[in-house]
Amino acid sequence: MLDNVALAKRVLTDNTEVLYGIFGFINTSGYFPPCSFFNEFLIGGSDPCDQDGRMESWEPFELTAVEHSLILSWWQSIYPGTLEDSLNVENWGDWVQEILER
């Protein structure tokens, strides 16, 4: 069984570092997506913002609420002051749009 927490950390780390990776924008926003939104990203298996395919895709997966909490705590240890917030939207796509417009 794959360790979803370790896998999510790898996806986030790689995505933050790749040119045009969406988490390279999110890391400076002060926000982190709620579990359901983050799972929409993870289930996709790739970052649609990485249109040049600079980052390898991953096997789609989801996090439980507990796993998401562990990822959020880890993210906050790297980016202090980050808040989990839905930004008053209903899904991952709208959430990303809110981040990019800030």
Side-chain angles (χ1 to χ4, degrees):
M1 178 178 168
L2 290 175
D3 178 353
N4 286 345
V5 171
L7 185 53
K9 286 179 180 180
R10 190 188 83 211
V11 167
L12 285 171
T13 299
D14 291 351
N15 190 263
T16 300
E17 295 173 357
V18 73
L19 185 63
Y20 306 124
I22 191 58
F23 279 89
F25 295 96
I26 293 170
N27 68 346
T28 61
S29 73
Y31 296 105
F32 194 81
C35 188
S36 63
F37 296 179
F38 188 44
N39 277 336
E40 286 181 58
F41 174 76
L42 296 173
I43 290 168
S46 66
D47 181 353
C49 292
D50 178 24
Q51 295 178 359
D52 294 335
R54 296 173 189 257
M55 181 180 166
E56 288 186 35
S57 60
W58 59 87
E59 187 69 31
F61 68 101
E62 292 182 81
L63 298 177
T64 65
V66 171
E67 291 168 332
H68 180 267
S69 178
L70 293 170
I71 291 298
L72 176 60
S73 294
W74 170 78
W75 187 263
Q76 290 170 325
S77 74
I78 300 168
Y79 305 103
T82 298
L83 302 173
E84 177 184 355
D85 195 316
S86 70
L87 303 177
N88 297 314
V89 298
E90 300 290 324
N91 60 57
W92 168 252
D94 290 345
W95 192 87
V96 168
Q97 192 62 42
E98 280 292 316
I99 292 296
L100 294 175
E101 291 176 359
R102 288 177 180 256

XYZ file of all heavy atoms in Angstrom:
827
model
N 0.837 -1.189 0.000
C 0.000 0.000 0.000
C 0.878 1.248 0.000
O 1.831 1.364 0.755
C -0.903 -0.008 1.237
C -1.769 1.199 1.373
S -2.815 1.034 2.843
C -3.415 2.670 2.930
N 0.574 2.177 -0.870
C 1.328 3.416 -0.935
C 1.002 4.306 0.252
O -0.125 4.328 0.739
C 1.001 4.171 -2.221
C 1.500 3.560 -3.514
C 0.980 4.362 -4.685
C 3.009 3.520 -3.539
N 1.986 5.024 0.690
C 1.788 5.996 1.754
C 1.308 7.295 1.104
O 2.102 8.023 0.507
C 3.114 6.197 2.502
C 3.014 7.221 3.603
O 1.972 7.898 3.738
O 4.001 7.357 4.348
N 0.013 7.552 1.193
C -0.568 8.719 0.533
C -0.008 10.038 1.044
O 0.102 10.999 0.287
C -2.087 8.705 0.665
C -2.722 7.669 -0.240
O -2.089 7.156 -1.157
N -3.966 7.358 0.024
N 0.355 10.097 2.313
C 0.920 11.329 2.866
C 2.276 11.605 2.214
O 2.541 12.725 1.762
C 1.022 11.276 4.401
C 1.806 12.459 4.944
C -0.374 11.233 5.023
N 3.119 10.591 2.141
C 4.428 10.758 1.513
C 4.274 11.099 0.035
O 5.001 11.950 -0.496
C 5.270 9.501 1.693
N 3.336 10.456 -0.623
C 3.101 10.724 -2.040
C 2.615 12.162 -2.245
O 3.080 12.865 -3.153
C 2.097 9.719 -2.599
C 1.820 9.774 -4.090
C 3.100 9.697 -4.914
C 0.870 8.648 -4.479
N 1.693 12.618 -1.411
C 1.192 13.993 -1.518
C 2.315 14.999 -1.267
O 2.401 16.024 -1.952
C 0.041 14.219 -0.543
N 3.174 14.716 -0.308
C 4.314 15.604 -0.052
C 5.217 15.677 -1.274
O 5.696 16.752 -1.639
C 5.123 15.125 1.160
C 4.447 15.380 2.483
C 5.302 14.864 3.629
C 4.658 15.089 4.968
N 5.503 14.585 6.082
N 5.450 14.530 -1.907
C 6.297 14.520 -3.108
C 5.651 15.312 -4.239
O 6.301 16.111 -4.911
C 6.571 13.093 -3.564
C 7.659 13.060 -4.657
C 7.823 11.712 -5.280
N 6.780 11.633 -6.312
C 6.181 10.536 -6.698
N 6.474 9.392 -6.144
N 5.269 10.556 -7.634
N 4.351 15.115 -4.445
C 3.641 15.856 -5.493
C 3.728 17.355 -5.212
O 4.035 18.149 -6.111
C 2.169 15.397 -5.601
C 1.348 16.353 -6.450
C 2.086 13.973 -6.157
N 3.467 17.758 -3.978
C 3.518 19.176 -3.635
C 4.915 19.762 -3.796
O 5.077 20.862 -4.338
C 3.028 19.397 -2.198
C 1.529 19.290 -1.997
C 1.198 19.294 -0.514
C 0.809 20.411 -2.715
N 5.917 19.040 -3.335
C 7.297 19.518 -3.445
C 7.690 19.671 -4.909
O 8.199 20.717 -5.317
C 8.261 18.555 -2.723
O 7.907 18.509 -1.344
C 9.702 19.013 -2.864
N 7.435 18.641 -5.692
C 7.774 18.696 -7.114
C 7.003 19.797 -7.821
O 7.550 20.535 -8.638
C 7.488 17.352 -7.798
C 8.421 16.235 -7.358
O 9.413 16.527 -6.641
O 8.147 15.072 -7.718
N 5.727 19.924 -7.511
C 4.885 20.899 -8.176
C 5.274 22.327 -7.807
O 5.193 23.225 -8.638
C 3.412 20.633 -7.865
C 2.501 21.465 -8.724
O 2.037 22.508 -8.291
N 2.271 21.015 -9.956
N 5.694 22.528 -6.577
C 6.125 23.856 -6.142
C 7.385 24.279 -6.880
O 7.568 25.454 -7.191
C 6.364 23.865 -4.615
O 5.134 23.519 -3.970
C 6.802 25.218 -4.124
N 8.239 23.314 -7.186
C 9.528 23.614 -7.795
C 9.491 23.687 -9.315
O 10.358 24.308 -9.926
C 10.557 22.573 -7.352
C 10.827 22.651 -5.862
C 11.703 21.528 -5.345
O 12.075 20.623 -6.127
O 12.006 21.554 -4.138
N 8.503 23.065 -9.957
C 8.455 23.051 -11.417
C 7.927 24.397 -11.933
O 7.044 25.010 -11.328
C 7.596 21.877 -11.934
C 6.117 22.118 -11.695
C 7.857 21.617 -13.395
N 8.501 24.855 -13.032
C 8.041 26.090 -13.652
C 6.569 25.947 -14.022
O 6.175 24.958 -14.650
C 8.882 26.371 -14.894
C 8.629 27.687 -15.617
C 8.966 28.868 -14.699
C 9.466 27.754 -16.881
N 5.769 26.889 -13.624
C 4.330 26.942 -13.869
C 3.512 25.948 -13.051
O 2.317 25.791 -13.301
C 3.990 26.783 -15.353
C 4.712 27.760 -16.237
C 5.502 27.321 -17.285
C 4.631 29.132 -16.001
C 6.184 28.212 -18.099
C 5.307 30.042 -16.797
C 6.090 29.578 -17.846
O 6.766 30.462 -18.624
N 4.107 25.277 -12.083
C 3.330 24.421 -11.192
C 2.408 25.286 -10.343
O 2.821 26.316 -9.809
N 1.170 24.904 -10.208
C 0.194 25.735 -9.495
C 0.575 25.952 -8.039
O 0.323 27.017 -7.478
C -1.245 25.181 -9.629
C -2.265 26.202 -9.111
C -1.400 23.844 -8.917
C -2.239 27.545 -9.794
N 1.213 24.980 -7.407
C 1.583 25.175 -6.008
C 2.773 26.114 -5.851
O 3.052 26.580 -4.751
C 1.768 23.839 -5.286
C 0.454 23.252 -4.857
C -0.254 22.418 -5.703
C -0.110 23.589 -3.637
C -1.490 21.917 -5.338
C -1.350 23.099 -3.254
C -2.042 22.259 -4.109
N 3.427 26.456 -6.951
C 4.420 27.518 -6.943
C 3.779 28.890 -6.781
O 4.430 29.850 -6.384
N 2.494 28.984 -7.080
C 1.717 30.203 -6.836
C 1.024 30.121 -5.482
O 0.953 31.092 -4.746
C 0.664 30.413 -7.935
C 1.239 30.655 -9.285
C 1.389 29.625 -10.191
C 1.648 31.934 -9.659
C 1.935 29.838 -11.442
C 2.195 32.164 -10.911
C 2.340 31.109 -11.806
N 0.500 28.947 -5.185
C -0.240 28.760 -3.938
C 0.668 28.964 -2.729
O 0.244 29.525 -1.722
C -0.909 27.368 -3.912
C -2.014 27.310 -4.980
C -1.459 27.038 -2.531
C -2.588 25.934 -5.223
N 1.937 28.567 -2.842
C 2.833 28.650 -1.683
C 3.044 30.076 -1.191
O 3.414 30.277 -0.042
C 4.167 27.966 -1.965
C 5.011 28.673 -2.994
O 4.563 29.539 -3.725
N 6.262 28.265 -3.077
N 2.806 31.061 -2.026
C 2.959 32.458 -1.597
C 1.618 33.132 -1.306
O 1.589 34.302 -0.937
C 3.711 33.278 -2.663
O 2.951 33.264 -3.875
C 5.104 32.719 -2.907
N 0.532 32.388 -1.445
C -0.800 32.984 -1.294
C -1.263 33.114 0.148
O -2.146 33.907 0.449
C -1.833 32.145 -2.055
O -2.089 30.920 -1.369
N -0.706 32.279 1.029
C -1.172 32.257 2.413
C -2.357 31.336 2.635
O -2.907 31.284 3.730
N -2.743 30.599 1.581
C -3.898 29.703 1.672
C -3.526 28.300 1.219
O -2.602 28.110 0.437
C -5.050 30.205 0.797
C -5.580 31.530 1.256
C -5.279 32.699 0.562
C -6.370 31.626 2.395
C -5.759 33.928 0.992
C -6.849 32.846 2.827
C -6.540 33.994 2.128
O -7.005 35.196 2.558
N -4.289 27.336 1.717
C -4.152 25.948 1.293
C -5.559 25.423 1.061
O -6.479 25.756 1.806
C -3.435 25.103 2.362
C -2.972 23.775 1.859
C -1.794 23.669 1.135
C -3.717 22.629 2.099
C -1.367 22.429 0.650
C -3.299 21.393 1.625
C -2.110 21.297 0.902
N -5.746 24.595 0.040
C -7.106 24.142 -0.282
C -7.671 23.160 0.737
O -6.933 22.352 1.308
C -6.925 23.455 -1.637
C -5.500 23.031 -1.672
C -4.744 24.064 -0.891
N -8.976 23.213 0.946
C -9.653 22.201 1.768
C -9.460 20.819 1.147
O -9.129 20.686 -0.031
C -11.124 22.613 1.720
C -11.134 24.023 1.276
C -9.907 24.214 0.438
N -9.699 19.811 1.923
C -9.468 18.425 1.516
C -10.163 18.077 0.200
O -9.537 17.510 -0.700
C -9.912 17.474 2.631
S -9.466 15.744 2.338
N -11.417 18.399 0.059
C -12.134 18.014 -1.165
C -11.534 18.683 -2.393
O -11.435 18.067 -3.459
C -13.625 18.340 -1.049
O -13.822 19.735 -0.914
N -11.102 19.934 -2.271
C -10.488 20.637 -3.397
C -9.130 20.030 -3.725
O -8.801 19.803 -4.892
C -10.292 22.119 -3.096
C -11.558 22.904 -2.892
C -11.489 24.248 -2.602
C -12.819 22.337 -2.982
C -12.633 25.011 -2.413
C -13.973 23.083 -2.787
C -13.875 24.425 -2.501
N -8.325 19.776 -2.690
C -7.002 19.201 -2.902
C -7.130 17.819 -3.543
O -6.363 17.466 -4.444
C -6.231 19.146 -1.584
C -4.788 18.747 -1.729
C -3.988 19.268 -2.724
C -4.228 17.845 -0.853
C -2.656 18.898 -2.854
C -2.892 17.466 -0.957
C -2.105 17.994 -1.971
N -8.135 17.068 -3.121
C -8.353 15.754 -3.716
C -8.714 15.859 -5.199
O -8.316 15.001 -5.998
C -9.409 14.966 -2.947
C -8.831 14.264 -1.743
O -7.638 13.981 -1.681
N -9.680 13.990 -0.769
N -9.437 16.892 -5.593
C -9.726 17.091 -7.013
C -8.424 17.219 -7.798
O -8.304 16.682 -8.905
C -10.583 18.341 -7.232
C -12.022 18.201 -6.823
C -12.796 19.473 -7.099
O -12.829 19.920 -8.272
O -13.362 20.039 -6.138
N -7.455 17.934 -7.232
C -6.143 18.082 -7.864
C -5.432 16.737 -7.925
O -4.934 16.332 -8.982
C -5.312 19.106 -7.083
C -3.890 19.228 -7.549
C -3.576 19.909 -8.714
C -2.857 18.676 -6.805
C -2.259 20.024 -9.148
C -1.534 18.785 -7.222
C -1.236 19.459 -8.405
N -5.385 16.026 -6.804
C -4.661 14.755 -6.739
C -5.269 13.686 -7.641
O -4.559 12.891 -8.245
C -4.605 14.252 -5.294
C -3.833 15.131 -4.312
C -3.997 14.605 -2.890
C -2.363 15.233 -4.698
N -6.589 13.675 -7.744
C -7.286 12.697 -8.580
C -6.979 12.931 -10.058
O -6.999 12.008 -10.864
C -8.809 12.743 -8.316
C -9.118 12.182 -6.926
C -9.582 11.965 -9.366
C -10.531 12.438 -6.461
N -6.640 14.166 -10.402
C -6.327 14.483 -11.795
C -5.061 13.803 -12.307
O -4.911 13.580 -13.510
N -4.121 13.509 -11.421
C -2.898 12.828 -11.816
C -1.852 13.692 -12.487
O -0.775 13.209 -12.820
N -2.174 14.956 -12.688
C -1.210 15.904 -13.257
C -1.726 17.314 -12.999
O -2.891 17.503 -12.653
C -1.017 15.675 -14.757
O -2.204 15.976 -15.456
N -0.848 18.278 -13.186
C -1.216 19.680 -12.974
C -1.587 20.301 -14.312
O -0.736 20.435 -15.191
C -0.031 20.429 -12.352
C -0.332 21.888 -12.063
O -1.404 22.397 -12.453
O 0.530 22.537 -11.455
N -2.853 20.693 -14.504
C -3.248 21.298 -15.775
C -2.502 22.608 -16.067
O -2.410 23.014 -17.213
C -4.747 21.555 -15.632
C -5.155 21.042 -14.319
C -3.961 20.552 -13.581
N -1.959 23.243 -15.041
C -1.193 24.473 -15.252
C 0.184 24.183 -15.852
O 0.808 25.065 -16.435
C -1.028 25.236 -13.939
S -2.575 25.898 -13.312
N 0.653 22.965 -15.712
C 1.951 22.555 -16.244
C 1.756 22.068 -17.685
O 1.919 20.905 -17.997
C 2.542 21.441 -15.358
C 3.877 20.920 -15.853
O 4.583 21.656 -16.570
O 4.202 19.764 -15.526
N 1.382 22.993 -18.554
C 1.033 22.638 -19.924
C 2.222 22.143 -20.742
O 2.042 21.506 -21.771
C 0.364 23.820 -20.605
C -0.958 24.153 -19.961
C -1.633 25.359 -20.566
O -1.115 25.985 -21.474
N -2.800 25.690 -20.045
N 3.434 22.437 -20.302
C 4.616 21.952 -21.010
C 5.041 20.574 -20.523
O 6.020 20.014 -21.023
C 5.785 22.925 -20.835
C 5.530 24.262 -21.507
O 4.732 24.291 -22.470
O 6.117 25.269 -21.080
N 4.343 20.026 -19.533
C 4.654 18.692 -19.023
C 6.017 18.593 -18.371
O 6.694 17.583 -18.464
N 6.405 19.634 -17.662
C 7.709 19.645 -16.998
C 7.740 18.729 -15.774
O 8.790 18.295 -15.355
C 8.093 21.063 -16.607
C 8.279 21.977 -17.799
C 8.490 23.413 -17.369
N 8.463 24.308 -18.491
C 9.546 24.848 -19.033
N 10.724 24.573 -18.551
N 9.436 25.664 -20.062
N 6.577 18.482 -15.215
C 6.482 17.603 -14.046
C 5.863 16.285 -14.469
O 4.891 16.258 -15.228
C 5.617 18.250 -12.966
C 5.475 17.421 -11.720
S 4.442 18.269 -10.506
C 4.123 16.902 -9.411
N 6.417 15.197 -13.970
C 5.841 13.895 -14.276
C 4.447 13.784 -13.662
O 4.172 14.344 -12.601
C 6.731 12.786 -13.715
C 8.033 12.613 -14.463
C 8.800 11.408 -13.969
O 8.170 10.396 -13.598
O 10.036 11.498 -13.958
N 3.596 13.031 -14.336
C 2.276 12.772 -13.774
C 2.425 11.770 -12.632
O 3.484 11.186 -12.435
C 1.339 12.232 -14.853
O 1.844 11.036 -15.387
N 1.343 11.585 -11.873
C 1.342 10.643 -10.767
C 0.089 9.791 -10.861
O -0.873 10.145 -11.542
C 1.399 11.375 -9.416
C 0.266 12.331 -9.189
C -0.954 12.042 -8.652
C 0.225 13.721 -9.518
N -1.761 13.171 -8.614
C -1.050 14.212 -9.133
C 1.130 14.612 -10.086
C -1.423 15.543 -9.316
C 0.754 15.930 -10.265
C -0.510 16.383 -9.873
N 0.138 8.665 -10.206
C -1.040 7.806 -10.143
C -2.102 8.542 -9.320
O -1.851 8.933 -8.174
C -0.685 6.484 -9.462
C -1.786 5.464 -9.498
C -2.067 4.919 -10.881
O -1.131 4.830 -11.704
O -3.235 4.590 -11.134
N -3.290 8.781 -9.879
C -4.329 9.504 -9.135
C -4.653 8.831 -7.803
O -4.694 7.606 -7.715
C -5.534 9.454 -10.078
C -4.933 9.299 -11.441
C -3.720 8.428 -11.229
N -4.853 9.671 -6.783
C -5.190 9.166 -5.446
C -5.929 10.253 -4.682
O -6.012 11.392 -5.135
C -3.929 8.718 -4.696
C -2.986 9.831 -4.320
C -2.953 10.331 -3.025
C -2.107 10.373 -5.257
C -2.075 11.349 -2.685
C -1.220 11.385 -4.926
C -1.206 11.874 -3.627
N -6.463 9.871 -3.528
C -7.162 10.808 -2.645
C -6.597 10.684 -1.240
O -6.072 9.640 -0.856
C -8.653 10.483 -2.575
C -9.402 10.718 -3.841
C -10.881 10.411 -3.659
O -11.589 11.286 -3.131
O -11.297 9.297 -4.027
N -6.768 11.744 -0.473
C -6.388 11.751 0.939
C -7.635 11.677 1.807
O -8.675 12.225 1.455
C -5.637 13.035 1.292
C -4.319 13.301 0.586
C -3.771 14.664 1.011
C -3.309 12.215 0.863
N -7.500 11.032 2.936
C -8.552 11.083 3.946
C -8.447 12.430 4.656
O -7.455 13.157 4.492
C -8.381 9.958 4.986
O -7.159 10.203 5.708
C -8.361 8.585 4.331
N -9.424 12.751 5.468
C -9.379 13.995 6.236
C -8.163 14.021 7.163
O -7.515 15.060 7.321
C -10.668 14.167 7.037
N -7.843 12.890 7.760
C -6.679 12.812 8.658
C -5.390 13.024 7.870
O -4.504 13.782 8.285
C -6.654 11.465 9.405
C -5.351 11.276 10.159
C -7.843 11.370 10.355
N -5.276 12.381 6.711
C -4.087 12.566 5.877
C -3.961 14.017 5.420
O -2.871 14.590 5.420
C -4.140 11.636 4.662
C -3.973 10.170 5.010
C -4.313 9.245 3.863
O -5.149 9.607 2.991
O -3.751 8.128 3.840
N -5.077 14.614 5.043
C -5.060 16.018 4.622
C -4.581 16.916 5.765
O -3.802 17.841 5.550
C -6.449 16.454 4.146
C -6.503 17.869 3.695
N -6.855 18.907 4.531
C -6.220 18.434 2.492
C -6.803 20.039 3.855
N -6.417 19.777 2.618
N -5.029 16.624 6.965
C -4.603 17.396 8.134
C -3.087 17.300 8.325
O -2.427 18.297 8.647
C -5.336 16.898 9.378
O -4.913 17.577 10.518
N -2.532 16.118 8.106
C -1.081 15.936 8.211
C -0.351 16.732 7.130
O 0.683 17.358 7.400
C -0.720 14.456 8.103
C -1.177 13.574 9.260
C -0.966 12.098 8.916
C -0.462 13.940 10.545
N -0.893 16.734 5.934
C -0.288 17.504 4.839
C -0.375 18.996 5.132
O 0.587 19.737 4.935
C -0.970 17.167 3.494
C -0.635 15.744 3.079
C -0.587 18.166 2.410
C 0.844 15.480 2.830
N -1.521 19.440 5.613
C -1.679 20.858 5.957
C -0.668 21.272 7.021
O -0.014 22.310 6.889
C -3.102 21.146 6.427
C -3.382 22.569 6.901
C -3.124 23.591 5.795
C -4.815 22.674 7.413
N -0.502 20.474 8.045
C 0.480 20.791 9.100
C 1.895 20.849 8.534
O 2.676 21.742 8.875
C 0.425 19.749 10.217
O -0.801 19.818 10.884
N 2.219 19.908 7.684
C 3.535 19.899 7.032
C 3.724 21.157 6.189
O 4.752 21.819 6.250
C 3.647 18.629 6.174
C 4.832 18.604 5.267
C 6.125 18.332 5.603
C 4.825 18.855 3.861
N 6.922 18.396 4.488
C 6.144 18.713 3.403
C 3.826 19.176 2.941
C 6.501 18.885 2.066
C 4.174 19.341 1.611
C 5.501 19.201 1.198
N 2.709 21.513 5.392
C 2.758 22.706 4.537
C 2.937 23.959 5.400
O 3.733 24.837 5.081
C 1.488 22.778 3.695
C 1.470 23.863 2.655
C 0.898 25.094 2.768
C 2.024 23.806 1.344
N 1.055 25.807 1.611
C 1.738 25.032 0.715
C 2.717 22.834 0.632
C 2.137 25.328 -0.600
C 3.113 23.122 -0.669
C 2.823 24.345 -1.262
N 2.200 24.028 6.500
C 2.304 25.187 7.395
C 3.674 25.273 8.060
O 4.113 26.374 8.404
C 1.195 25.132 8.452
C -0.169 25.397 7.869
C -1.301 25.112 8.834
O -1.227 24.179 9.643
N -2.365 25.890 8.734
N 4.349 24.152 8.239
C 5.701 24.194 8.809
C 6.692 24.803 7.819
O 7.693 25.393 8.219
C 6.160 22.789 9.232
O 6.489 21.996 8.103
N 6.406 24.675 6.540
C 7.252 25.257 5.499
C 6.812 26.689 5.185
O 7.640 27.565 4.945
C 7.191 24.393 4.221
C 7.683 22.979 4.518
C 8.011 25.026 3.091
C 7.399 21.991 3.403
N 5.513 26.922 5.188
C 4.930 28.233 4.861
C 4.080 28.698 6.045
O 2.850 28.583 6.023
C 4.091 28.142 3.578
C 4.874 27.585 2.416
C 4.701 26.265 2.001
C 5.831 28.358 1.762
C 5.441 25.738 0.959
C 6.582 27.844 0.717
C 6.381 26.532 0.325
O 7.122 26.018 -0.711
N 4.739 29.191 7.092
C 4.021 29.612 8.300
C 2.941 30.656 7.986
O 3.109 31.494 7.101
C 5.116 30.216 9.177
C 6.393 29.652 8.663
C 6.180 29.429 7.192
N 1.873 30.556 8.727
C 0.769 31.497 8.561
C -0.236 31.090 7.499
O -1.244 31.757 7.311
N 0.017 29.997 6.800
C -0.914 29.514 5.780
C -2.200 29.031 6.442
O -2.159 28.338 7.453
C -0.295 28.358 4.978
O 0.867 28.828 4.304
C -1.274 27.794 3.977
N -3.328 29.402 5.849
C -4.634 29.008 6.355
C -5.343 28.119 5.342
O -5.269 28.366 4.139
C -5.508 30.238 6.593
C -4.967 31.292 7.553
C -5.867 32.518 7.533
C -4.843 30.721 8.941
N -6.041 27.112 5.843
C -6.927 26.335 4.981
C -8.202 27.145 4.828
O -8.801 27.568 5.821
C -7.236 24.989 5.613
C -8.202 24.171 4.799
C -8.593 22.879 5.474
O -8.052 22.551 6.551
O -9.465 22.196 4.931
N -8.613 27.383 3.584
C -9.780 28.226 3.358
C -10.410 27.862 2.018
O -9.703 27.705 1.021
C -9.354 29.696 3.351
C -10.503 30.668 3.478
O -11.534 30.471 2.810
O -10.365 31.632 4.239
N -11.725 27.780 1.981
C -12.429 27.480 0.734
C -12.530 28.709 -0.169
O -12.892 28.583 -1.344
C -13.833 26.957 1.010
O -14.648 28.007 1.504
N -12.217 29.872 0.372
C -12.292 31.145 -0.369
C -13.677 31.359 -0.973
O -13.832 32.002 -2.008
C -11.214 31.207 -1.448
C -9.774 31.037 -0.952
C -8.805 31.050 -2.124
C -9.400 32.087 0.074
N -14.680 30.801 -0.312
C -16.083 30.953 -0.702
C -16.386 30.453 -2.112
O -17.213 31.037 -2.818
C -16.537 32.412 -0.547
C -16.483 32.853 0.878
O -16.924 32.146 1.776
N -15.907 34.031 1.115
N -15.697 29.388 -2.524
C -15.990 28.771 -3.814
C -16.341 27.307 -3.598
O -16.218 26.789 -2.493
C -14.815 28.934 -4.813
C -14.553 30.405 -5.107
C -13.558 28.253 -4.312
N -16.753 26.641 -4.659
C -17.300 25.289 -4.549
C -16.386 24.173 -5.041
O -16.671 23.009 -4.807
C -18.611 25.212 -5.348
C -19.674 26.168 -4.866
C -20.236 25.800 -3.514
O -20.372 24.594 -3.253
O -20.520 26.708 -2.724
N -15.294 24.504 -5.750
C -14.477 23.440 -6.329
C -13.049 23.904 -6.564
O -12.735 25.086 -6.445
C -15.107 22.912 -7.622
C -15.256 24.000 -8.659
O -14.291 24.653 -9.053
N -16.486 24.218 -9.117
N -12.200 22.950 -6.925
C -10.780 23.196 -7.142
C -10.541 24.255 -8.228
O -9.760 25.175 -8.050
C -10.074 21.889 -7.510
C -8.682 22.064 -8.022
C -8.265 21.891 -9.302
C -7.533 22.455 -7.273
N -6.920 22.150 -9.398
C -6.445 22.498 -8.165
C -7.304 22.779 -5.938
C -5.158 22.839 -7.774
C -6.014 23.124 -5.536
C -4.963 23.159 -6.447
N -11.199 24.134 -9.353
C -10.989 25.082 -10.448
C -11.279 26.509 -10.041
O -10.500 27.427 -10.355
N -12.386 26.714 -9.358
C -12.733 28.066 -8.901
C -11.767 28.530 -7.819
O -11.440 29.722 -7.742
C -14.166 28.104 -8.381
C -15.188 27.945 -9.499
O -14.828 28.088 -10.690
O -16.366 27.659 -9.176
N -11.315 27.610 -6.976
C -10.377 27.960 -5.913
C -9.062 28.446 -6.514
O -8.522 29.470 -6.104
C -10.148 26.749 -5.000
C -9.440 27.066 -3.732
C -10.022 27.479 -2.565
C -8.029 26.989 -3.484
N -9.043 27.670 -1.612
C -7.821 27.379 -2.147
C -6.946 26.640 -4.259
C -6.552 27.422 -1.568
C -5.678 26.686 -3.683
C -5.496 27.074 -2.352
N -8.570 27.730 -7.506
C -7.324 28.135 -8.177
C -7.498 29.510 -8.819
O -6.619 30.369 -8.728
C -6.901 27.087 -9.232
C -5.800 27.619 -10.137
C -6.457 25.806 -8.540
N -8.639 29.733 -9.440
C -8.892 31.036 -10.061
C -8.843 32.147 -9.019
O -8.276 33.220 -9.263
C -10.238 31.023 -10.785
C -10.451 32.201 -11.684
C -9.417 32.271 -12.808
O -9.068 31.251 -13.411
N -8.921 33.445 -13.086
N -9.425 31.911 -7.848
C -9.372 32.898 -6.761
C -7.931 33.183 -6.354
O -7.555 34.339 -6.133
C -10.157 32.402 -5.545
C -11.641 32.575 -5.649
C -12.060 34.035 -5.614
O -11.545 34.810 -4.792
O -12.912 34.391 -6.447
N -7.115 32.139 -6.232
C -5.712 32.312 -5.862
C -4.991 33.152 -6.916
O -4.240 34.075 -6.582
C -5.014 30.936 -5.693
C -5.549 30.199 -4.481
C -3.492 31.080 -5.631
C -5.296 30.850 -3.144
N -5.200 32.845 -8.184
C -4.499 33.543 -9.249
C -4.933 34.997 -9.383
O -4.155 35.830 -9.848
C -4.701 32.800 -10.581
C -4.079 31.415 -10.657
C -4.452 30.733 -11.967
C -2.573 31.470 -10.464
N -6.148 35.301 -8.962
C -6.648 36.670 -9.059
C -6.268 37.540 -7.868
O -6.488 38.731 -7.886
C -8.176 36.656 -9.236
C -8.591 36.122 -10.578
C -10.099 36.022 -10.738
O -10.848 36.353 -9.790
O -10.536 35.584 -11.828
N -5.693 36.954 -6.847
C -5.314 37.724 -5.654
C -3.999 38.425 -5.854
O -3.152 38.116 -6.546
C -5.258 36.812 -4.429
C -6.649 36.419 -4.028
C -6.658 35.463 -2.863
N -8.039 35.151 -2.577
C -8.721 35.648 -1.549
N -8.157 36.402 -0.685
N -9.990 35.331 -1.389
